[in-house]
Amino acid sequence: MVEVLYSESDLKKVVTELAAAIAVDFKGKSVLLLGLLKGCQPFLADLCRELSCHQIDLAVDYLQVSSYVGTASSGKVAIKQIAADDSFCQQRNVIVVDDIFDTGLTLKEVVSWVLENGAAQVKSCVLLSKSGCNRTEMTPDYCGLEIPAAFVVGYGLDYNEKYRELPYIKILTENE
Ligand code: IMP
Ligand code: MG
């Protein structure tokens, strides 16, 4: 038996709600969704599809970001640009999209990076946020679910590159 924390239908509902909240703020505007690879992938794809129901002029780009070794943050955030064009953030309304907010160090670094690269404004959107782990003064602007401070996998979230393909989210157990 798999201990599912959030099922496919739970996740669909949350993503629909997040898209509606983003639409309240950005209806009629243009938005660059900036996904953080690799964990953002299923969430970003579903969020895009939900946003297509709202009148938002949408573009998508990615940054490759890493900080985790096994089940703990290394505290050092490495950012690698994927887009060929250096000016891809300039004058844009950027929403940084990540799978999970834990210490907050990743989102904090990326938000600063996006502002330094000339964005008109930057917001952040995460599917999950871990309670009591934030080591920064920032909080995500859009957050799907608050979870306990456990290590979770599935729906893009990995443990050493495994489990990203699961359509649901579960807590990683010790014998995995
Ligand atoms: P932060 O910088 O500590 O906020 O960590 C954010 C990043 O760490 C996310 O983009 C994930 O890649 C990874 N991460 C944090 N917690 C988990 C988890 O429970 N499962 C899988 N990845 C995680
Ligand atoms: Mg990540």
Side-chain angles (χ1 to χ4, degrees), residues 13 17 70 82 89 107 125 127 129 131 152 159 175:
K13 184 166 169 277
E17 286 165 3
I82 308 282
C89 283
L107 222 49
C125 175
L127 178 70
S129 176
S131 298
V152 290
Y159 170 60
N175 52 1

Side-chain angles (χ1 to χ4, degrees), residues 22-32 51 54-59 92-95 120-121 123 142:
I22 291 172
V24 168
D25 298 339
F26 288 97
K27 193 171 179 169
K29 297 187 180 158
S30 77
V31 169
L32 172 65
L51 284 170
H54 303 277
Q55 281 100 46
I56 297 176
D57 174 21
L58 211 60
R92 311 288 292 274
N93 300 316
V94 177
I95 303 179
Q121 68 162 313
K123 300 272 186 193
Y142 308 98

Side-chain angles (χ1 to χ4, degrees), residues 123-139:
K123 300 272 186 193
S124 55
C125 175
V126 294
L127 178 70
L128 308 174
S129 176
K130 277 191 206 179
S131 298
C133 298
N134 192 349
R135 285 202 244 151
T136 71
E137 66 295 341
M138 75 167 288
T139 49

Side-chain angles (χ1 to χ4, degrees), residues 117-172:
N117 281 271
Q121 68 162 313
V122 57
K123 300 272 186 193
S124 55
C125 175
V126 294
L127 178 70
L128 308 174
S129 176
K130 277 191 206 179
S131 298
C133 298
N134 192 349
R135 285 202 244 151
T136 71
E137 66 295 341
M138 75 167 288
T139 49
D141 297 295
Y142 308 98
C143 174
L145 296 157
E146 285 277 340
I147 65 162
F151 195 83
V152 290
V153 293
Y155 197 60
L157 291 141
D158 74 307
Y159 170 60
N160 289 342
E161 299 300 328
K162 286 183 71 180
Y163 309 111
R164 291 192 198 276
E165 73 280 17
L166 299 177
Y168 51 82
I169 288 177
K170 65 171 189 167
I171 295 179
L172 190 75

Side-chain angles (χ1 to χ4, degrees), residues 36 39 65 67-68 70-71 73 77 98-107 130 135 147 150-153 157-159 164:
L36 305 189
V65 177
S67 64
Y68 252 63
T71 60
S73 172
V77 181
D98 203 5
D99 46 9
I100 189 164
F101 185 95
D102 180 7
T103 63
L105 296 170
T106 299
L107 222 49
K130 277 191 206 179
R135 285 202 244 151
I147 65 162
F151 195 83
V152 290
V153 293
L157 291 141
D158 74 307
Y159 170 60
R164 291 192 198 276

